[in-house]
Amino acid sequence: EIENEMEKALDERQFCVYVQPKYDLNREKIVGGEALVRWKHPQKGMIPPGEFIGVFEKNGFIIKLDYFVWEETCKLLSKLKKEGYGGYPISINVSRAHFYGNGLREKLDELIAKYDIAPDELELEITETICAEDPEIIYSKVRQLQAAGFKVAMDDFGSGYSSLNMLKEMPLDIIKMDLKFLDGGDNEEKSHYILQTLISLAQNMQLLVVVEGVETKVQVEFLRGIGSYYAQGYYFSKPVESATYESMIKANK
Ligand code: C2E
Ligand code: CA
Ligand code: CA
């Protein structure tokens, strides 16, 4: 059903882009956002990405859908910049499929030229599982993107088979860690030690850390206590429509 409807859905603009703001933990101000796709189905209502991203990664449609999301993101960045609200980079999710074709760099270059934005206003989120597959291909492509000025973030760090070796080889600017991979269970104390240590490791390596999935005040205070700077999660804001994100940025003084 999803496959039969996807092309039509894209043409009819049933897909849209939500943005989840990222916050500076100490100032509790927005520092940027992450673009997350939504499918507003005319009959079924809102379909969460968890239900279709996997299908599109298998059949290749993810390339087209990501291009759409990236373009909407660039439009939003350009609009904000023209209105005097530059300096709030937005991250986009880059699926593994983009690394096995030749269009990734071309597409990104085309978009930043078309919307007159700087490459460092886009952060490319890549999941660590991609790097485990074909490290040499991925590292060299990522290195080129980084050299061209794009910021590179490792998404869901710690969720899979991330090795310290990857941290050494992969050219990175940002690490995103999701609390859901660490919190809970009977091992809370251990989780805290791991998180604390990863944060200081990343900081020693001059990497920015964004902690995701932050839902409670207790978590916020803990994160502040261990010297973490940036966070994203329902405690601060859910992903919101891009018009809402715009107003949030404009009110973020
Ligand atoms: P992700 O990139 O790790 O995105 C973060 C997910 O966590 C989002 O789910 C977001 O809504 C959710 N989230 C944010 N704050 C909290 C919180 O405090 N608590 C909890 N429990 N969840 C939180 P979403 O939007 O359903 O996206 C799921 C996944 O789908 C994303 O995970 C990403 O891997 C993929 N995805 C979403 N949009 C795109 C896209 O445009 N392109 C590609 N390739 N993948 C996408
Ligand atoms: Ca992400
Ligand atoms: Ca994530």
Side-chain angles (χ1 to χ4, degrees):
E1 228 177 305
I2 287 175
E3 294 199 280
N4 287 335
E5 294 191 20
M6 62 193 189
E7 294 280 358
K8 180 165 166 269
L10 187 59
D11 290 342
E12 291 183 351
R13 301 190 63 93
Q14 292 174 20
F15 291 105
C16 65
V17 176
Y18 273 43
V19 182
Q20 185 174 34
K22 293 177 212 169
Y23 283 76
D24 177 317
L25 272 165
N26 293 311
R27 296 185 304 126
E28 301 216 1
K29 297 283 182 202
I30 301 176
V31 293
E34 173 178 7
L36 294 158
V37 72
R38 295 290 178 263
W39 186 348
K40 289 182 178 166
H41 193 280
Q43 281 84 42
K44 300 192 186 84
M46 188 83 102
I47 310 176
E51 289 184 26
F52 55 84
I53 295 287
V55 178
F56 297 164
E57 280 176 341
K58 284 206 187 81
N59 70 12
F61 186 69
I62 193 67
I63 297 207
K64 260 196 194 174
L65 183 62
D66 275 351
Y67 284 179
F68 168 78
V69 172
W70 303 351
E71 178 140 18
E72 293 298 303
T73 303
C74 291
K75 267 185 214 166
L76 176 61
L77 283 167
S78 151
K79 180 164 190 276
L80 280 167
K81 194 172 171 177
K82 282 197 188 108
E83 293 172 7
Y85 298 92
Y88 295 98
I90 296 182
S91 57
I92 52 178
N93 289 287
V94 181
S95 267
R96 57 162 58 66
H98 297 286
F99 289 97
Y100 297 100
N102 289 317
L104 175 58
R105 173 72 192 280
E106 284 76 2
K107 188 66 189 183
L108 293 169
D109 284 343
E110 174 200 316
L111 288 173
I112 60 168
K114 180 169 173 191
Y115 292 99
D116 192 25
I117 55 176
D120 64 2
E121 291 173 83
L122 278 183
E123 294 170 357
L124 315 179
E125 294 197 7
I126 300 165
T127 57
E128 61 170 17
T129 46
I130 299 183
C131 304
E133 290 169 8
D134 272 307
E136 293 318 319
I137 296 179
I138 309 292
Y139 295 159
S140 87
K141 291 205 175 184
V142 169
R143 221 167 265 127
Q144 288 167 23
L145 291 165
Q146 206 189 32
F150 296 98
K151 297 287 173 207
V152 180
M154 170 69 51
D155 200 2
D156 301 338
F157 182 78
S159 67
Y161 302 98
S162 42
S163 68
L164 295 173
N165 189 48
M166 184 194 65
L167 264 193
K168 205 176 79 194
E169 301 299 331
M170 172 89 171
L172 285 176
D173 302 286
I174 301 153
I175 287 182
K176 296 190 83 176
M177 285 188 253
D178 198 315
L179 284 183
K180 77 169 178 261
F181 300 122
L182 280 163
D183 248 24
D186 300 329
N187 296 321
E188 203 177 341
E189 201 184 349
K190 283 189 194 169
S191 298
H192 285 178
Y193 285 132
I194 293 173
L195 195 58
Q196 184 165 20
T197 307
L198 286 175
I199 284 173
S200 67
L201 171 69
Q203 285 169 352
N204 285 331
M205 294 177 71
Q206 320 285 326
L207 298 170
L208 291 180
V209 179
V210 178
V211 180
E212 287 188 276
V214 177
E215 294 180 349
T216 65
K217 193 162 179 66
V218 172
Q219 290 171 333
V220 169
E221 277 159 8
F222 167 72
L223 290 169
R224 271 196 205 117
I226 61 172
S228 184
Y229 292 124
Y230 302 113
Q232 183 182 337
Y234 296 165
Y235 175 80
F236 295 105
S237 170
K238 295 201 167 184
V240 294
E241 288 194 41
S242 63
T244 309
Y245 177 75
E246 252 185 82
S247 347
M248 290 169 83
I249 291 291
K250 290 176 184 173
N252 186 55
K253 284 293 160 204

